[in-house]
Every structure is written in structure tokens, then in C-alpha cells.
Amino acid sequence: MADLPAVPSIGQGTVMANLHSKPLCYVHYKGIKFPPGYNSVENLCFAENEFEVQDDDIFNVTYPKSGTVWMIEILSLILNGGNPSWNQSVLNSCRAPWFTTQLGLEAAHLLPPPRLLTCHLPIHIFPKAFFSSKAKVVYTLRDPRDVLVSYYHFSKMCVPFENPESFNHFLESFLSGDVPFGSWFDHVTGWMKLKGKSNLLFISYEELKQDLFGIVERLCHFLGKELDEAAITSVVENTSFEAMRRNDMCNSTMLPKEFMDQEKGTFLRKGICGDWKTHFTVAQSEYFDKVYQEKMEGLKGIFPWEHTRQENHLGKGLNF
């Protein structure tokens, strides 16, 4: 569904207001470029090397536009026993802080355990302390063609992101990894190297769309937070696309125009699978498939969107 840092402070808002008045200058850290205004090399370095991970931390990790905000809402509800009061009264950026930013780090330090933390970090700059901890990661991934389309529309309305010249130009940038947060292919293949670890759970956007109730049950078991049927039903009902669109705590309408220009688009836009088919030409689709096959060598056949291509229906999930 979406991907939001904490609401900018007044000082950051001043920076945001000037971002589109001149060419963007992205923040670069270890080969990855990050949106300016709320990211800095210092904060990213701290997140990687000094962030203190607690054993009961729960990390919500995604590549942009892969269901980040959807998973925040699901995990928030699970942690609150299915009661929607927390989701409906506290901004998602405060419930699940983006700890790689200054504001997010401050919010993370205020959270009682178990902390829910969010980021788009690739594996090579994820907090080092995680790897010697019992903390858990929920990694959500999505058909990269739908990611690309959602990212394209998001970049047109989000001020700290460069406005795409055209869809075709953005497709080229996405396939080459020349977009904020780097290559989708590198991000996914990097994290997939940890598959099989007991403290890491992979979930696909497509599985969430196909069987949300079943995935919530799976997440509850992974987190050791068993809920009864009524509580799980509440999680499902309060994380429907329409429910989230109505919830100002997660639909981005609370963000200032200096950060998110709502006149240029809707943050929670469609929330569907297969929207790429309305954007890709035949030539673009063939080109994308060629690059995908080259970059995903060794991981073919395990993702739901590959089953849709082969069998014209959703697959049975991730074959781990």
C-alpha cells in the first residue's frame, strides 16, 4: 500500500518546500540513494552501526510500494489484540517509526516493548545488532511490475522524489536501480539469502490479497501473539483498502503539502494486483521480463506473480 516516514518537523518542512524549486540532491549512502529532507548520512550510519536492537523488536521491512503501510496496520492491530483504537488514534509513523530518520529514531526510543519498527533498508545496511539478536523481521514483497507502477505515481506526488520524465524513463531507471532505495532486484535477492531463518517471515502482497485472514493467522503464530477468530476478523476488517483509505492515521492526508502534494494523486491509489497491465506496452513487458529473468536467476518459480504469468491464477504462496 504505501511508505511514509514520520511527519516532517517545521525545520524539515522548510527544506521540503524548496525541494522542487531546484534539482533534487539525493542523500547517498553505501551505493544507495535516499530522498533528501528527512534522510542523512549520519542517521543512516547510526541505524546501521549503532542502533540498539532489542530482542522483542519487530521490523517491518519492504522495498518501497510493496505494502509497507498495509503491513504496519496489520501488525499494529495484531499487537493491540485486534482492537483498532491504536490504529485510529495514532499516526502510523509513530506506531511503527522509521528509525533511519532523526524523528523516527526519537519516536522509536519512546516506544514501549515490543517495538514495531519500519524501514526500506537493503540487507547490507540493516542494523548490525539485529544479526546477533532474537528480533524478528516481517519482509513484504510484491510483483515488481506493480511496484514500478505504484512507485511511478508516488514519485509524481511526493516532493522529496524526483518527478519522473515519463513512464518509460522511470521504467528504465527502475530496472537499472537508479531510484531511491536502490534496485528492487538487489533488495529482494539480498533479503532472500536469509530465507529459512526462524526470526524472518516473508509475505507477499499477492498472498495478502488472496487470503488476508490466513496470513494474519500466520503472522500471529510467527509473533507468538495468538488471537481468537473475532480478533483476527477485526484485523482483517480494519485493514481492508477502504478502511485504510478512511483512516487519517495511515492515508497520508495528515502530511503537509510541502511533503505530499495530494493534488497530484492519491496516496492509497488502487491497492490491487496486476495494475501494471494498464501501463505496460507489449514491448515494455517483454523488456521487463528479459531483465527480470536475468537478475532473478536462481530464485525463479517461488513467487506468486510468476504463477500468475504461467498459470493465469495466483500461486500458492512462497515456496520456502
Side-chain angles (χ1 to χ4, degrees):
M1 295 281 177
D3 329 75
L4 290 180
V7 177
S9 65
I10 294 176
Q12 287 177 308
T14 302
V15 174
M16 298 291 183
N18 296 322
L19 285 178
H20 274 183
S21 63
K22 57 184 178 180
L24 283 180
C25 183
Y26 285 109
V27 173
H28 291 264
Y29 183 72
K30 293 199 170 179
I32 307 294
K33 66 181 185 181
F34 295 83
Y38 56 89
N39 284 298
S40 70
V41 170
E42 292 76 18
N43 286 335
L44 290 163
C45 183
F46 183 90
E48 179 190 2
N49 298 296
E50 299 181 54
F51 184 74
E52 295 182 4
V53 175
Q54 300 172 10
D55 281 339
D56 52 7
D57 282 344
I58 302 163
F59 289 91
N60 171 38
V61 183
T62 61
Y63 185 84
K65 314 315 299 174
S66 300
T68 317
V69 165
W70 196 3
M71 189 54 70
I72 289 175
E73 298 308 296
I74 292 170
L75 294 175
S76 296
L77 278 156
I78 290 175
L79 292 178
N80 207 34
N83 186 332
S85 59
W86 195 32
N87 292 57
Q88 294 172 359
S89 62
V90 179
L91 279 172
N92 57 0
S93 57
C94 295
R95 285 182 274 117
W98 296 76
F99 66 95
T100 57
T101 71
Q102 185 60 41
L103 285 176
L105 180 62
E106 293 170 4
H109 285 155
L110 295 175
L111 282 181
R115 300 185 300 181
L116 179 55
L117 305 166
T118 301
C119 74
H120 292 318
L121 292 179
I123 191 69
H124 72 282
I125 52 178
F126 199 67
K128 292 179 178 177
F130 166 77
F131 300 98
S132 59
S133 76
K134 296 179 181 178
K136 296 180 178 180
V137 165
V138 176
Y139 186 92
T140 311
L141 62 166
R142 184 185 189 184
D143 186 332
R145 296 164 297 183
D146 281 335
V147 170
L148 189 159
V149 168
S150 183
Y151 211 168
Y152 167 72
H153 288 286
F154 176 78
S155 298
K156 294 171 73 173
M157 66 181 295
C158 192
V159 177
F161 288 69
E162 188 174 15
N163 194 10
E165 293 180 17
S166 66
F167 180 76
N168 194 64
H169 183 267
F170 190 81
L171 183 148
E172 292 282 357
S173 298
F174 182 89
L175 290 177
S176 67
D178 188 24
V179 290
F181 303 101
S183 163
W184 178 91
F185 302 100
D186 292 347
H187 204 285
V188 169
T189 56
W191 276 100
M192 287 291 290
K193 291 176 182 177
L194 296 184
K195 68 178 182 178
K197 298 285 187 182
S198 61
N199 63 337
L200 196 148
L201 181 65
F202 289 94
I203 298 291
S204 75
Y205 191 97
E206 290 72 22
E207 289 174 299
L208 289 166
K209 293 296 292 184
Q210 184 184 35
D211 182 18
L212 182 54
F213 191 98
I215 295 303
V216 171
E217 286 185 309
R218 195 166 144 203
L219 284 163
C220 287
H221 180 70
F222 174 69
L223 299 175
K225 183 80 173 178
E226 301 299 340
L227 303 183
D228 60 25
E229 185 174 343
I232 293 177
T233 298
S234 176
V235 175
V236 171
E237 290 175 349
N238 285 284
T239 56
S240 71
F241 186 73
E242 289 307 317
M244 289 192 293
R245 258 195 164 179
R246 294 191 301 267
N247 185 359
D248 290 343
M249 298 298 101
C250 71
N251 64 15
S252 91
T253 55
M254 301 291 285
L255 290 168
K257 186 176 181 179
E258 291 82 10
F259 180 83
M260 187 76 69
D261 191 345
Q262 305 284 347
E263 295 179 2
K264 293 183 178 180
T266 303
F267 180 61
L268 296 179
R269 197 175 57 90
K270 289 186 178 180
I272 63 174
C273 299
D275 191 39
W276 67 269
K277 297 173 185 177
T278 66
H279 290 71
F280 280 59
T281 65
V282 172
Q284 288 170 338
S285 181
E286 291 176 348
Y287 176 47
F288 189 100
D289 282 350
K290 180 177 182 295
V291 175
Y292 181 93
Q293 295 301 320
E294 292 172 352
K295 291 184 177 290
M296 299 301 285
E297 186 69 36
L299 288 175
K300 295 176 184 176
I302 69 171
F303 302 113
W305 55 85
E306 296 176 337
H307 294 289
T308 61
R309 182 185 294 128
Q310 297 166 2
E311 305 167 11
N312 200 32
H313 63 76
L314 280 175
K316 296 183 179 180
L318 298 171
N319 299 324
F320 296 147

